[in-house]
Amino acid sequence: MSGEQFLQYIFAGITVGSIYAFVAIGYNIIYNTTGIINFAQGEFVMLGGMIAYTFSGFMPLLPAIVSAVLITALVGGIIENVFIRRMRKTSVMGMIVITIGISILLREAALYIWDEQIRALSFFTGSEVSSVNIFGARISPQVLWVLGVTVVIVSGLFFFLKYTLTGQAMRACSENPRAAKLCGIRTDKMVNLSFMLSAGIGALGGCVVSPLTQTHYAMGSDLAIKGFTVAILGGLGNPIAAVAAGLLLGLIEAFSISILPMAFKDVIAIVILLVILVAKPSGLFGSSQASSLKDY
Amino acid sequence: MKKIGTVLLIIGLFASSVFAAGQNDEGTIKVGAILAVTGGASFLGAPEAKTIEMVVEDINAAGGVNGKMIELIIKDSAANPEKAISFAKQLIEEDNVIAIVGPSTSGETMQIKDLCQSYKVPLVSCAAAEAIVDPVASYVFKTPQKDNYVAEWIYTTMNSMGIKKIGVIAANTGFGNAGKGQLEKYAPDFGIEIVIAETYDKASTDLTALLTKVKAQNVEAVVNWSIVPAQSIVPKNMKQLGMEVPLFQSHGFGNIKYVEAAGEAAEGIIFPAGRLLIAEKLADNDPQKKNLVAYKSAYETKYNEAVSTFGGHAYDAIMLVIEAAGNAKTLDRAGIRDALEAISGFPGTGGIFNFTPSDHNGLGMDSLEMLIVKNGQFDRLK
Amino acid sequence: MKRYTSVLILCIFIILVQVFTQVLGQAFLLTQMTMSAYYVLVAIGLCMVMGYAGQISLGQAGFFAIGGYTTASLSTIDFTPFGGTLFYKILDSLGLLISMETLYGETVLYLSPWISLAAAILISALAAYILGVPVLHLKGHYRAMATMGFGIIVYRIVLGSKVFGEADGITNVPGFPLAPGIQVSGDFTSRISNYYVAWILVVLAMLLLINLINSRVGRALRSLHGSEEAADAMGVDTSRYKVIVFVIGAVLAGVAGFFMTHYNGGIGPSEASVTKSVRYVAIVAVGGMANLWGALIMGFLLNFLSLRGVFGHLDDAVFGVTLVLIMMFMPEGFIRMSLLSDIKSFFLRISAREKSKTGGADES
């Protein structure tokens, strides 16, 4: 393998990996405040892309994306308010079942609002045919957008959780919801906020990747599975590690393609997931001691 | 309260489904259709269902077939073979249809091929696989062009362009697998070497890694064989990787949506297809032109979306059944079958159909033409 | 004996349905009832796993596919070209080769499906055991994901391998001669016998599961519901019982896949998809998690209506809506033992309201 090719595989891996990371970040935010894995997370990505595409028909790209993110965040908030809130006392199994149900509903709704056709937002800079040459390997400028937005989101999230009062309150909810409540934090509000936040981030991801991957009503479930794999790989509850894990899985997949037939690509990801689950459930970057205290 | 309501609702649903079955209307021609309107193959089934509904409406509005109205029963299989089987049995036994149109995918068609044959119900499939009509089952027909014609057209064009070393990629659908097989089978005959052949997942959203692998083999052209949206991802990714070699696609590319989704990257894509996509550009004395333009304008006005070759396959299927019903000596299943097999010189969207007892596809090599994407539109390759 | 009364009612119901459809000239309904019966087998097995052992499995379609694909791939091998080899002679002398004429006039020799039935049971049990032992130690979300991962692997393998027909699946699977005169196949003429075969399987499975619930295993599992730690401390080998139930659920799914494949004459990769697994979970949830009868009734109703195409384009949407509504408004499921008392209280409430109305009239 030449150096140029090696680099090309790395770029391919990073592209796919950052898409996975977007979904995984959303999982983690909700998981942190509620202990719920939201199986509908992939649908937020789809909604973002679809809404932005519709809006871009009659407004410039930037406001279209902003409105898509806001609307999807609102959808996330409504879902929490209508479905999740009254389910707080249900078992983990019940929670899994209801979020799966919600994901089916969102997907079917998208099929009837739009249709089965594929859609793609226009490229933010350049076009379908433009590519940037980096040390002989070439990537679409859109990949740089994806990476840029990922970096902004991760650092923004880091700052938000660490230094703002709301962020600290959210973290408190995840550490110990009861204690947080006693300290006067309105946990309900925090949970609602976390759904809005993760829906919004998912939607933003859906917009940024849409020119590359296209948007289709049924794209959510595949993304959800990959996103969850990544969330576990990084250690559930750690959004920053999710990004690293996403890039790692993307790279593994890209390089596995170079030696194996692509038909079994997904099997590799799943085998990795199973191995991690059984061998190190705290994830690659998580502390097993801390995780043993948590209730998954 | 709520619980009782739901119980009653379900019981009601159940009862209505039981008693709605088996009603028989005399004096109409009952045609069944099994199509993947939703689910993974909705790219095929949705335009097919729209087309069939439109055609039957128009025929009935114009007085039906020999004064008899057509009664259409469309079942949405969502590309599940077990549902296709269940629906085929319903259509055969309960609805007493005279013929079945569809299914959309090869897998489903193969699952019900023997069923239709043993109960002697004419089946006109909209799916591509060779195995549907080989071995020939006397009651089973299909409308899409044979895969080997497509492969031969691609290779003939490559020969004239001086291309010898190619890479083949295909989606993991029945259509993709069959096409890949045909390409591999005919390559030696045309002196073409396939240096790499790969399958990708039909739901793939980024193929740069796969194309990097193809690029490393220094191929002179790439053939992509699929029916899924990945058809517009392949050209984009190739351009992003700086691959300047020509891209050939299968006849599955016959939907302008895919060109739009690929944008500038679609320029120069070469693929064989029926003449539906270039209907307006045909010479006025072309035997297909009248039907093609009529179907295209009717569909595009009614549904406000561009026609695709998939809808065209369904158009051919229902029109062939209607033609057969008009000619049939006896208006029953056997009569329709005999009339279908006797059809010759019928101008459809896929080509001129000439059925014989040994050929239940009825299309020749000339049913296809090589097209190229130029300025965001389909055009003849010169 | 009380526990068998409901099974007896089920048997009577099965016979009544058959007689009624015959009398009403609607015998064709048995086709979809037979298919639903096989899905019911999967559902009650999963109900045991989810409701009684408290383990979610999002990979149940994988076991169904293992059963179906095992027999589909084994019984579509034509042994005619192997005539004369030692292997052929052994099989032939054991009477394990069956000759059949195809629709196109060729004669094929295929392996007796009894062998593939044994293989289907063995492979699904083994797969469940190998998967179950490590996975059942995981907690909620992780276990859900691991079982889903198993399902995806099965799906990918059948979709990617030539032996399993890739995306087209396997067709032309011959019938299964279960007993003299009884053939498991989709032939319209053997519809009634197939209906009974399918539902007898369901009855047998119900008897097995009901006995299991009331056995030592069942008691141990019930203790889990209270507290896993406490049960462990009491010396109940919780993980062993969980594995047993998981394997039983998998074998039921595998057997269902085996029979369904012979009944349909083929199988496709959609039977192994995650969507299918999710549907089974939905059925169990709607039926009330720890309620075998709920899973049986909902499994039958939803599948029957879906296979008859009643939901049309809304098939998935109906499953989604039902799931969400049930989980929100009646998390113990739709069909409950207390349903009768609900109905009673409903009428009581009505009469109470009537009373209060008349009471109100008096006041004015």
Side-chain angles (χ1 to χ4, degrees):
Chain A
M1 199 184 289
S2 71
E4 191 186 300
Q5 246 179 56
F6 184 76
L7 206 58
Q8 195 71 64
Y9 279 120
I10 288 187
F11 287 149
I14 290 176
T15 312
V16 182
S18 44
I19 299 172
Y20 297 162
F22 259 115
V23 188
I25 292 173
Y27 272 124
N28 282 316
I29 295 173
I30 292 183
Y31 178 79
N32 267 344
T33 49
T34 60
I36 296 170
I37 291 288
N38 173 28
F39 279 80
Q41 189 63 36
E43 268 65 29
F44 292 146
V45 178
M46 177 269 295
L47 279 183
M50 283 292 193
I51 296 173
Y53 176 86
T54 312
F55 278 34
S56 68
F58 49 86
M59 57 169 81
L61 198 59
L62 188 65
I65 292 176
V66 171
S67 5
V69 169
L70 292 179
I71 292 174
T72 315
L74 199 66
V75 171
I78 292 171
I79 285 176
E80 194 278 328
N81 219 321
V82 175
F83 301 108
I84 309 292
R85 188 164 298 175
R86 47 184 307 160
M87 300 275 301
R88 287 316 298 273
K89 287 192 193 70
T90 330
S91 62
V92 171
M93 195 147 74
M95 233 46 224
I96 294 174
V97 173
I98 189 121
T99 56
I100 288 177
I102 293 168
S103 85
I104 298 175
L105 285 190
L106 288 178
R107 189 165 64 233
E108 293 298 310
L111 174 61
Y112 287 93
I113 295 173
W114 293 279
D115 52 26
E116 81 291 344
Q117 301 281 1
I118 46 158
R119 290 174 174 77
L121 276 182
S122 56
F123 279 70
F124 293 9
T125 39
S127 72
E128 293 83 2
V129 293
S130 37
S131 70
V132 185
N133 191 326
I134 300 172
F135 304 117
R138 309 177 65 153
I139 50 170
S140 162
Q142 192 66 27
V143 175
L144 300 178
W145 273 104
V146 176
L147 286 177
V149 172
T150 316
V151 170
V152 170
I153 285 190
V154 169
S155 37
L157 204 60
F158 183 75
F159 181 81
F160 170 76
L161 290 175
K162 190 113 190 183
Y163 298 111
T164 66
L165 204 58
T166 328
Q168 285 165 344
M170 241 163 124
R171 278 198 300 151
C173 286
S174 86
E175 298 291 335
N176 190 335
R178 201 180 222 166
K181 212 167 198 169
L182 288 174
C183 294
I185 297 170
R186 296 184 55 186
T187 43
D188 270 5
K189 260 215 164 116
M190 289 301 132
V191 170
N192 197 272
L193 184 67
S194 75
F195 266 82
M196 291 178 70
L197 196 60
S198 85
I201 288 178
L204 182 58
C207 296
V208 186
V209 302
S210 173
L212 291 169
T213 66
Q214 305 172 158
T215 310
H216 182 237
Y217 82 94
M219 73 190 289
S221 47
D222 284 327
L223 277 179
I225 292 167
K226 282 291 167 60
F228 190 90
T229 310
V230 165
I232 300 235
L233 202 60
L236 211 45
N238 186 346
I240 317 286
V243 176
L247 296 181
L248 182 67
L249 184 69
L251 289 173
I252 292 174
E253 284 194 0
F255 279 99
S256 75
I257 289 168
S258 73
I259 42 170
L260 287 167
M262 192 174 173
F264 296 109
K265 183 192 79 177
D266 278 8
V267 175
I268 294 165
I270 299 295
V271 169
I272 292 174
L273 169 71
L274 289 179
V275 170
I276 291 283
L277 280 178
V278 173
K280 197 169 185 301
S282 52
L284 286 183
F285 312 109
S287 135
S288 47
Q289 273 164 337
S291 82
S292 67
L293 294 172
K294 276 193 181 171
D295 181 31
Y296 296 109
Chain B
M1 250 329 247
K2 276 177 206 139
K3 270 169 227 166
I4 315 273
T6 340
V7 172
L8 290 179
L9 185 75
I10 291 239
I11 292 173
L13 254 177
F14 183 71
S16 63
S17 91
V18 169
F19 292 109
Q23 290 162 357
N24 231 331
D25 250 327
E26 290 304 319
T28 61
I29 300 172
K30 271 196 184 180
V31 178
I34 302 171
L35 299 168
V37 187
T38 56
S42 52
F43 318 109
L44 307 174
E48 286 168 355
K50 285 179 187 163
T51 300
I52 294 182
E53 275 168 4
M54 180 187 83
V55 168
V56 170
E57 244 172 62
D58 290 352
I59 295 273
N60 284 344
V65 182
N66 296 338
K68 284 191 169 188
M69 294 291 135
I70 297 170
E71 192 187 337
L72 180 69
I73 304 164
I74 296 185
K75 298 270 186 186
D76 178 8
S77 70
N80 290 306
E82 69 278 3
K83 276 199 181 170
I85 292 168
S86 171
F87 293 159
K89 287 180 174 176
Q90 268 179 275
L91 291 172
I92 292 172
E93 243 199 327
E94 301 169 34
D95 300 317
N96 285 314
V97 296
I98 208 156
I100 298 176
V101 172
S104 313
T105 67
S106 305
E108 292 167 89
T109 308
M110 291 308 292
Q111 300 276 1
I112 66 167
K113 179 184 174 185
D114 281 9
L115 193 72
C116 289
Q117 178 63 18
S118 49
Y119 290 93
K120 301 202 166 24
V121 182
L123 176 73
V124 186
S125 171
C126 305
E130 199 74 38
I132 296 168
V133 290
D134 178 30
V136 175
S138 56
Y139 277 83
V140 181
F141 300 79
K142 74 160 187 142
T143 55
Q145 300 90 353
K146 284 184 181 163
D147 289 340
N148 62 326
Y149 295 161
V150 179
E152 286 177 45
W153 266 110
I154 289 176
Y155 285 153
T156 319
T157 314
M158 284 180 174
N159 280 350
S160 67
M161 291 167 78
I163 293 168
K164 295 227 176 310
K165 254 175 81 178
I166 63 162
V168 172
I169 54 176
N172 63 346
T173 57
F175 184 76
N177 288 330
K180 187 163 145 259
Q182 293 293 335
L183 286 172
E184 283 167 342
K185 186 172 156 198
Y186 286 96
D189 298 355
F190 291 84
I192 282 167
E193 189 196 354
I194 299 177
V195 284
I196 176 169
E198 285 276 344
T199 310
Y200 58 83
D201 186 67
K202 59 179 181 234
S204 292
T205 50
D206 185 276
L207 293 163
T208 37
L210 178 76
L211 287 163
T212 304
K213 194 175 176 181
V214 174
K215 189 187 179 189
Q217 302 290 331
N218 291 318
V219 294
E220 291 161 8
V222 176
V223 186
N224 173 47
W225 198 300
S226 80
I227 41 170
V228 286
Q231 288 185 111
S232 2
I233 294 174
V234 172
K236 280 192 213 175
N237 288 168
M238 276 178 71
K239 288 283 161 29
Q240 285 147 16
L241 286 173
M243 289 174 82
E244 296 301 337
V245 297
L247 170 64
F248 289 78
Q249 303 227 45
S250 74
H251 47 325
F253 193 58
N255 186 340
I256 199 77
K257 279 271 173 202
Y258 293 151
V259 176
E260 281 164 17
E264 276 178 59
E267 287 300 299
I269 291 176
I270 304 170
F271 71 106
R275 296 189 179 78
L276 175 63
L277 302 174
I278 48 162
E280 285 95 355
K281 297 190 175 106
L282 292 173
D284 283 334
N285 61 353
D286 191 294
Q288 281 178 270
K289 180 160 185 174
K290 200 177 124 246
N291 276 354
L292 291 180
V293 173
Y295 165 54
K296 193 171 174 183
S297 60
Y299 186 91
E300 289 177 353
T301 338
K302 185 166 164 98
Y303 296 114
N304 200 18
E305 67 177 37
V307 279
S308 64
T309 47
F310 312 127
H313 297 322
Y315 177 83
D316 292 346
I318 187 76
M319 286 307 273
L320 285 165
V321 170
I322 289 168
E323 173 83 4
N327 298 342
K329 288 195 192 75
T330 52
L331 202 53
D332 56 13
R333 288 168 179 172
I336 295 276
R337 189 216 82 85
D338 294 344
L340 268 174
E341 203 168 70
I343 285 176
S344 78
F346 181 83
T349 67
I352 313 282
F353 286 89
N354 292 303
F355 287 127
T356 65
S358 60
D359 181 6
H360 276 195
N361 182 212
L363 293 172
M365 270 293 273
D366 60 352
S367 58
L368 294 169
E369 269 193 57
M370 289 308 278
L371 305 185
I372 186 166
V373 179
K374 227 184 231 172
N375 304 324
Q377 287 186 326
F378 295 124
D379 207 343
R380 276 198 171 112
L381 176 72
K382 302 216 170 62
Chain C
M1 272 332 273
K2 204 188 149 207
R3 66 173 90 138
Y4 299 118
T5 355
S6 17
V7 180
L8 201 66
I9 295 174
L10 175 66
C11 292
I12 296 170
F13 205 72
I14 291 167
I15 297 168
L16 278 182
V17 165
Q18 193 266 315
V19 173
F20 265 114
T21 53
Q22 195 73 33
V23 172
L24 293 173
Q26 312 253 324
F28 45 73
L29 291 173
L30 296 186
T31 300
Q32 285 81 25
M33 289 185 183
T34 310
M35 289 168 92
S36 318
Y38 293 131
Y39 288 131
V40 164
L41 271 186
V42 188
I44 53 177
L46 181 62
C47 176
M48 194 71 200
V49 176
M50 276 174 66
Y52 292 89
Q55 324 290 311
I56 195 166
S57 166
L58 285 170
Q60 215 64 8
F63 296 114
F64 184 94
I66 286 179
Y69 271 100
T70 303
T71 191
S73 51
L74 284 178
S75 53
T76 46
I77 303 170
D78 182 10
F79 275 84
T80 325
F82 302 108
T85 59
L86 181 68
F87 186 56
Y88 175 94
K89 277 177 190 153
I90 296 172
L91 287 175
D92 199 28
S93 61
L94 290 171
L96 290 175
L97 289 177
I98 300 171
S99 170
M100 180 188 71
E101 196 179 333
T102 67
L103 274 178
Y104 311 100
E106 293 162 45
T107 312
V108 293
L109 269 180
Y110 69 94
L111 198 62
S112 165
W114 284 106
I115 293 186
S116 44
L117 176 61
I121 292 174
L122 209 69
I123 297 174
S124 40
L126 206 64
Y129 186 76
I130 294 172
L131 179 73
V133 170
V135 162
L136 293 179
H137 286 292
L138 301 175
K139 293 177 193 166
H141 287 115
Y142 280 18
R143 187 163 41 214
M145 221 47 215
T147 50
M148 184 192 271
F150 163 75
I152 294 173
I153 289 177
V154 174
Y155 177 66
R156 287 289 154 192
I157 288 174
V158 297
L159 194 63
S161 322
K162 275 244 150 56
V163 236
F164 298 126
E166 295 177 328
D168 285 342
I170 301 178
T171 54
N172 296 334
V173 178
F176 167 39
L178 183 67
I182 299 177
Q183 168 110 339
V184 178
S185 75
D187 209 4
F188 289 144
T189 51
S190 58
R191 186 166 42 206
I192 294 176
S193 58
N194 268 289
Y195 167 80
Y196 280 112
V197 167
W199 282 100
I200 287 170
L201 276 175
V202 173
V203 169
L204 291 178
M206 282 306 275
L207 287 174
L208 170 81
L209 295 180
I210 289 172
N211 274 314
L212 192 72
I213 292 168
N214 293 301
S215 72
R216 198 182 144 76
V217 177
R219 281 195 301 278
L221 289 175
R222 270 201 296 277
S223 73
L224 281 184
H225 266 296
S227 158
E228 194 155 329
E229 282 82 8
D232 268 333
M234 294 296 285
V236 180
D237 190 353
T238 53
S239 57
R240 196 175 126 232
Y241 292 126
K242 283 193 221 168
V243 173
I244 291 175
V245 171
F246 192 62
V247 170
I248 291 176
V251 169
L252 282 179
V255 169
F258 170 89
F259 276 91
M260 182 76 140
T261 301
H262 282 287
Y263 184 67
N264 275 344
I267 188 169
S270 66
E271 287 287 18
S273 62
V274 175
T275 326
K276 265 282 156 64
S277 293
V278 166
R279 278 186 169 223
Y280 295 129
V281 170
I283 285 167
V284 173
V286 173
M289 297 286 187
N291 182 348
L292 282 178
W293 291 103
L296 189 150
I297 296 170
M298 291 321 292
F300 169 71
L301 276 181
L302 287 177
N303 279 306
F304 178 78
L305 295 177
S306 161
L307 285 169
R308 291 204 50 87
V310 173
F311 304 137
H313 307 323
L314 292 170
D315 207 56
D316 280 338
V318 167
F319 269 79
V321 170
T322 327
L323 189 61
V324 170
L325 288 183
I326 296 277
M327 289 309 288
M328 283 180 65
F329 296 111
M330 22 181 147
E332 300 93 76
F334 183 81
I335 287 153
R336 288 191 292 152
M337 292 307 159
S338 56
L339 191 68
L340 277 178
S341 64
D342 279 352
I343 295 174
K344 210 165 120 192
S345 71
F346 171 71
F347 285 109
L348 280 177
R349 241 179 299 148
I350 288 182
S351 62
R353 206 177 300 156
E354 291 295 315
K355 256 179 216 159
S356 74
K357 254 186 205 163
T358 49
D362 284 348
E363 263 168 46
S364 68

